[in-house]
């Protein structure tokens, strides 16, 4: 795979230490769900979206919601 920092969306950005992990899963009908985890943090971002074609290119257009591990959320709510 080529260097992703060459992608036009990433021009002008500087990169630091990798601290996020993401998993994206499809259901075979063009719909996707993914979760991003930050190392050593209870915070998660959950993405839901669809595969779309824009300007002849396929991409996943998704919106993210904040989420927490259930155990952490219960502690904060007490």
């Amino acid at each position: 795979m080529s260097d992703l920092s060459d992608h036009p969306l990433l021009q002008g950005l500087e990169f630091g230490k990798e601290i996020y992990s993401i998993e994206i899963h499809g259901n075979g009908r063009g719909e996707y769900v993914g979760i991003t985890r930050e190392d050593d943090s209870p915070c998660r971002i959950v993405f839901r979206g669809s595969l779309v074609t824009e300007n002849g290119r396929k991409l996943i257009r998704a919106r993210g919601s904040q989420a927490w591990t259930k155990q952490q959320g219960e502690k904060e709510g007490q």
Side-chain angles (χ1 to χ4, degrees):
M1 182 180 266
S2 65
D3 185 4
L4 289 179
S5 63
D6 291 338
H7 193 284
L9 288 175
L10 305 178
Q11 294 301 306
L13 296 179
E14 295 184 26
F15 294 88
K17 184 173 108 176
E18 292 181 357
I19 60 170
Y20 298 100
S21 300
I22 186 167
E23 295 175 15
I24 299 174
H25 302 271
N27 64 4
R29 297 187 307 265
E31 299 167 336
Y32 292 82
V33 64
I35 186 167
T36 298
R37 295 175 181 86
E38 182 176 344
D39 292 350
D40 300 321
S41 171
C43 186
R44 306 287 190 261
I45 300 173
V46 176
F47 295 96
R48 294 178 58 192
S50 301
L51 179 66
V52 298
T53 302
E54 197 171 273
N55 298 323
R57 301 182 106 177
K58 290 185 178 181
L59 61 99
I60 296 172
R61 166 112 347 113
R63 298 280 295 167
S65 299
Q66 288 183 316
W68 295 266
T69 54
K70 189 172 183 177
Q71 186 178 29
Q72 182 68 26
E74 289 173 350
K75 288 180 184 176
E76 290 176 358
Q78 290 179 350

